[in-house]
Amino acid sequence: MNEQDDTTFYITTPIYYVTAAPSIGNAYTTVAADMLARWHRQRGESTWFLTGTDEHGQKVLEAASEHGASPQEWTDKLVAEEWQPVLDVVDISNDDFIRTTEKRHTDRVREFWQTLYDNGHVYQGTYEGPYCVACEEFKLPAELLPDPAGDAAVKLCPIHERPVQQLSESNYFFRLSAFGDRLLELYDRRPDFVGPTSARNEVVAFVKQGLQDLSVTRSTFDWGIGVPWDESHVLYVWIDALLNYVTAAGYGTEPDRFERLWPAVHLVGKDIVRFHAVIWPAMLMAAEVEVPQQVFAHGWLQVGGQKMSKSKATAIHPSEIVDTFGSDAYRYYFLRTIAFGSDGSFSWEHLEAVYTSELANGLGNLASRVTAMVARYFDGTLPPAGALGAGEEGLVSALADTAATADAAVERLALNEAIGAVEGFVGVVNGYISEQQPWQVAKTENRDRLATILYVAAESLRAVAVLHAAVMPRTAAALWDSLGAEAGLGALADQRLAAVGEWGQLPAGSRLTKGASLFPRLAATEPGS
């Protein structure tokens, strides 16, 4: 994709249930989407990044009731006090924030389902079976877990390990079963439509066993979007919520904008991949709308060996970490240490170890040493490099390889591999400094050799600032400033990833400054205490 392309890289998070404050599990998805949005912008691509909140359904209604508020009061309060502020806590660069209670969404949802009803994709029937309120999902009996206490009448949700409800309701159904063959053809024709491979295999196996028609309305409560042809029902929360991806993009109101933005890449947790990779594309097929570009399911964050859960009191608010380590270290840790698509474990001890070894003693120490030596030996003015020797040529080659490796990894959504490639290059530069010992070269008065070493180190940091801008935006901006790079190269946001590996861009004569430590030493108190 290039700057002249009329299309847009459109990336979304799931929209989050506003039943409680956000956790690091929610923020993990959002930070991953933010890295992708920032990376594609750094490529020079037109990019649109959407996140938001899911505010209808039985789970939200019950949470509001528990707090003595109406559902609208409850969602308004949580969105204003928690869900929108947390975006600033972890430095999210979203272009839009959609709430499913907004008129721009609810009107389009009613129109969408009225069209499917008119075209014969919806019929009235009776649903009888298990339902998990926490998932807001109708379950298959074979999925359920037995009651640990041995009560044969009690079955548990496999995700939340909470008893499901047995429902019997007269509802309207979407003919999901009619789309099984078309979905399987989609997965076969586009093998990367669902990722990673483990999620794709799960989805394919689920569809191959045969799809059941989906109940798309509820009639036992009224917190939801009214069914346009039968106001005694409200739309099932998932088939309301999934439409946010198109209603926010101009579906039904701005056809030119919708054509430019859609389809999107959806990042979701693995527990909701079936909604996004089965139900959602079937809905779009029924409406004759293009299916998403990709649905990619990441794993769960685990604390103490268990999936993080509000009900088990293992949820952690992002600010608990950011207040100690800073937002960039937060972003770096979760994106660097977890293979995107797999489960990952969190511990304060591991976070502190990564912060110390890779950030404080790695990148932070490198930036501090280089700027300090340029200040000491050249009065803060970057000298021109002389002839490059084998050590310098090795760095030139390593940078080109790093830039190519990182970009290819991001294209595969292997975010941890991209960050690992850059961290590895930082290690190579640190090794170069230790091997060349510029502080010893300074004693020999070989100014040309000293200038070459320090220029090469500073030029390497120039590239690191660009490569890390999507991961650690504050750190990258501070590093760019300390290198005096804007005067000669322009704004950091204008640096293109396609050119980042080209050597010799930082102009000699740039004014380097040793600012505050990029990653300050941690206080002696235990993080999170």
Side-chain angles (χ1 to χ4, degrees):
M1 187 181 295
N2 56 53
E3 291 180 278
Q4 284 70 48
D5 199 321
D6 291 334
T7 61
T8 297
F9 175 73
Y10 180 20
I11 182 76
T12 76
T13 72
I15 50 173
Y16 303 108
Y17 279 125
V18 283
T19 54
S23 69
I24 58 174
N26 309 127
Y28 174 58
T29 321
T30 311
V31 166
D34 187 70
M35 176 185 169
L36 284 167
R38 290 177 183 269
W39 191 274
H40 281 264
R41 293 187 193 113
Q42 204 81 51
R43 282 179 173 178
E45 297 175 9
S46 176
T47 301
W48 194 258
F49 173 20
L50 174 71
T51 188
T53 46
D54 184 357
E55 303 180 17
H56 291 130
Q58 187 174 353
K59 184 161 64 171
V60 173
L61 179 64
E62 291 181 358
S65 179
E66 289 170 4
H67 289 84
S70 72
Q72 192 66 65
E73 290 170 342
W74 176 246
T75 56
D76 286 347
K77 177 181 172 64
L78 270 184
V79 169
E81 296 181 2
E82 291 286 355
W83 287 94
Q84 289 182 327
V86 81
L87 301 177
D88 292 330
V89 170
V90 291
D91 289 323
I92 302 302
S93 63
N94 58 298
D95 297 289
D96 195 1
F97 186 98
I98 190 165
R99 301 178 59 183
T100 56
T101 51
E102 293 179 87
K103 184 176 174 59
R104 63 167 171 158
H105 176 73
T106 59
D107 285 354
R108 302 293 82 72
V109 170
R110 286 169 61 88
E111 292 169 3
F112 180 94
W113 280 104
Q114 182 67 61
T115 299
L116 264 59
Y117 179 77
D118 293 342
N119 291 341
H121 294 293
V122 177
Y123 64 93
Q124 191 167 17
T126 300
Y127 174 79
E128 292 186 13
Y131 184 81
C132 174
V133 176
C135 290
E136 295 274 17
E137 181 179 6
F138 301 99
K139 296 292 183 179
L140 297 174
E143 295 179 287
L144 303 178
L145 302 176
D147 177 33
D151 188 341
V154 176
K155 299 296 181 182
L156 307 184
C157 166
I159 294 174
H160 293 94
E161 298 180 5
R162 293 165 56 176
V164 296
Q165 297 179 356
Q166 292 298 317
L167 295 184
S168 178
E169 292 182 6
S170 175
N171 294 333
Y172 289 89
F173 287 76
F174 170 54
R175 299 184 191 277
L176 181 63
S177 60
F179 292 90
D181 289 343
R182 288 183 63 182
L183 288 168
L184 291 172
E185 189 275 333
L186 169 65
Y187 309 145
D188 184 62
R189 175 168 45 88
R190 291 170 51 183
D192 62 347
F193 176 76
V194 184
T197 302
S198 57
R200 181 184 184 279
N201 291 342
E202 175 198 329
V203 166
V204 171
F206 178 75
V207 176
K208 281 185 174 180
Q209 71 183 8
L211 295 175
Q212 297 181 352
D213 289 347
L214 177 70
S215 175
V216 293
T217 69
R218 299 294 306 276
S219 58
T220 54
F221 60 88
D222 62 0
W223 181 239
I225 299 176
V227 173
W229 63 88
D230 187 345
E231 294 290 349
S232 67
H233 290 245
V234 294
L235 289 166
Y236 172 42
V237 62
W238 268 105
I239 59 90
D240 149 16
L242 286 164
L243 281 160
N244 90 91
Y245 306 122
V246 295
T247 60
Y251 173 76
T253 56
E254 302 173 81
D256 291 343
R257 178 170 177 266
F258 183 67
E259 183 178 2
R260 177 171 55 84
L261 293 181
W262 189 255
V265 173
H266 300 316
L267 301 188
V268 301
K270 67 180 183 180
D271 51 330
I272 57 174
V273 68
R274 291 182 190 175
F275 291 102
H276 288 81
V278 180
I279 297 171
W280 178 223
M283 287 167 51
L284 293 169
M285 288 173 180
E288 299 183 357
V289 176
E290 187 176 357
V291 299
Q293 180 177 327
Q294 186 178 32
V295 176
F296 194 93
H298 63 75
W300 289 332
L301 288 188
Q302 298 177 333
V303 177
Q306 290 187 316
K307 178 180 181 287
M308 191 170 53
S309 166
K310 294 182 178 69
S311 62
K312 296 178 180 178
T314 55
I316 301 169
H317 195 285
S319 63
E320 295 180 54
I321 298 174
V322 172
D323 288 348
T324 298
F325 294 91
S327 61
D328 275 3
Y330 176 102
R331 294 165 61 98
Y332 181 92
Y333 173 77
F334 286 106
L335 297 175
R336 162 79 169 107
T337 63
I338 300 171
F340 197 60
S342 302
D343 292 344
S345 296
F346 167 80
S347 74
W348 291 101
E349 294 79 11
H350 189 220
L351 171 56
E352 183 172 2
V354 172
Y355 178 95
T356 301
S357 64
E358 296 190 9
L359 297 180
N361 294 343
L363 176 57
N365 185 50
L366 174 62
S368 178
R369 287 202 294 175
V370 172
T371 53
M373 286 188 286
V374 171
R376 179 176 180 181
Y377 302 128
F378 293 96
D379 295 324
T381 299
L382 185 67
L388 303 186
E392 292 75 44
E393 293 292 354
L395 272 185
V396 172
S397 177
L399 173 58
D401 289 345
T402 298
T405 298
D407 196 48
V410 170
E411 191 69 21
R412 293 183 285 109
L413 301 189
L415 309 185
N416 60 305
E417 293 181 23
I419 299 168
V422 182
E423 194 278 331
F425 178 69
V426 170
V428 170
V429 182
N430 263 321
Y432 168 82
I433 293 291
S434 297
E435 182 178 288
Q436 299 299 324
Q437 297 185 319
W439 49 90
Q440 294 294 344
V441 174
K443 296 177 182 179
T444 69
E445 297 187 359
N446 187 342
R447 300 283 289 175
D448 288 344
R449 182 61 191 154
L450 179 61
T452 299
I453 296 169
L454 293 181
Y455 178 86
V456 164
E459 166 64 358
S460 298
L461 284 172
R462 183 272 311 165
V464 169
V466 178
L467 289 167
H468 266 332
V471 184
M472 298 189 289
R474 290 175 182 260
T475 297
L479 182 55
W480 194 252
D481 287 344
S482 73
L483 294 171
E486 184 157 353
L489 296 176
L492 177 59
D494 294 334
Q495 310 307 304
R496 293 292 167 255
L497 287 166
V500 69
E502 296 174 4
W503 189 260
Q505 296 183 46
L506 188 62
S510 297
R511 292 290 300 170
L512 275 63
T513 55
K514 186 179 183 301
S517 175
L518 295 179
F519 301 100
R521 183 179 299 275
L522 297 172
T525 55
E526 182 179 351
S529 61

